[in-house]
Amino acid sequence: MENIKCILDQFKFTGKLEDCRTFGSGHINTTYIATYSNKDGVRYYVVQKVNTNVFKNIDDLMDNVFAVTSYLRERIKENGGDVNRETLHYIKTVDGDKYFRDENGDCYRAYRFVDRSKSCDSVDSAEIFEKSGVAFGRFQRYLADFPAQTLKETIPNFHNTIWRYENEFLPAVKNNISGRADTCKEEIEFIKARREDCKKLVDLTEEGMLPIRVTHNDTKLNNVMFDEDTDDAICVIDLDTVMPGLALYDFGDSIRFGANTCAEDEKDTGKVKINLEYFEAYAKGFLSEAGESFNQCEIDNLAFSAKLMTFECAMRFLTDYLNGDTYFKTGYAEHNLVRARNQIALVADMEKHMEEMEKIIKSIK
Ligand code: ADP
Ligand code: GN1
Ligand code: MG
């Protein structure tokens, strides 16, 4: 705790430090929960070391998250919500900065732990998943009039799937830095066979068919906090990739993670399937909040977006495996390959069930 204490001292926390430990299962940042006590009881704070390999410009990133959270606070107030629990509340450093950079160049930021909340790494029921859909849909609706041009692109081309294919995946295969290309020939071919899919949403956007909106872009289930008692989804977190994007990215990425019958890194790919009941539940929740403003092209591509976001993630995991695991946190040597195989199995199962997925979307009004 000694090392992290020097970091904690840089923030305006109140009370006496009781405990600080790592927390959560995100693949990018390193998250700590710090416990402070005072005469009224205990208070928890979240402190994060931001991944500067992934996010190159931390000033831009923190400007984005401060701007988005203060805008959201106004929307929540207007709608009679609880501003303390329904969006992140960042805490400035003792010097009044939005984050602290230490002598090694590592960057830390802090916010309040959302009171009486929990996060979930897997979906236990259709109801819970529907609730997360409501939260992400509402997030998009609340940000509908946010001045998108003021947001910095924290990761350029984040969901530009064809760009990732041409500029990241193909070079990774060609350069084979890790020497692992021989161990994943089938997976490489699976991705190559679907090159045309990579362009579809980018092309529709360029043709003016899909509107650019302010989107979250990383809508996996553990990026929303649930109420400990009621299981209501109360607060969308992990705002580092809030950028101009497509509503379809947010929809598709949630399905990729939450409507998989298995964890994203289940090794037995025979168990990996799309859960259509969960797919329907999420679509209902998400569309009940965000759907009113959607055009027909957005509606028509919801099912496809689930497949595309899963495909993109498969390609990103495989790319990272080929590059020698430099992007995602991994727990063991083959972790990225296991994740890529899992996501490939899910794409294959979605392809089998695409007609049913389309039908489900049509049935939702
Ligand atoms: P990463 O980019 O690594 O995914 P996140 O911002 O999603 O980082 O944080 C990782 C985990 O930490 C979350 O999944 C959640 O469990 C926990 N967490 C983050 N922020 C909060 C918060 N304000 N209150 C409670 N838990 C949080
Ligand atoms: C990362 O940060 P986290 O764990 O919520 C990644 C997402 C991937 C996801 C795969 C900034 O999300 O894009 O879909 O892992 N975030 C970033 O689980 O790259
Ligand atoms: Mg996260």
Side-chain angles (χ1 to χ4, degrees), residues 194 255 259-261 270-277 279-280 302-307 344-362:
R194 285 157 184 78
I255 300 299
N260 186 342
T261 49
K271 292 187 191 157
V272 174
K273 305 268 179 267
I274 172 78
N275 181 327
L276 293 174
E277 186 200 351
F279 175 79
E280 178 166 3
L302 284 164
F304 173 76
S305 76
K307 179 184 142 180
I344 282 174
L346 187 57
V347 169
D349 197 54
M350 285 184 187
E351 286 177 347
K352 278 194 207 141
H353 294 283
M354 194 44 73
E355 256 178 50
E356 286 155 273
M357 289 162 68
E358 308 270 17
K359 229 165 152 187
I360 288 171
I361 296 294
K362 286 206 178 83

Side-chain angles (χ1 to χ4, degrees), residues 26 218 222-223 238:
D218 187 2
N222 60 20
N223 286 333
D238 204 346

Side-chain angles (χ1 to χ4, degrees), residues 71 75 138-147 213-214 293:
Y71 186 89
R75 298 288 78 73
R138 184 173 299 161
F139 181 85
Q140 212 168 86
R141 182 164 67 78
Y142 279 1
L143 289 172
D145 293 324
F146 183 94
R213 304 176 183 278
V214 175
S293 63

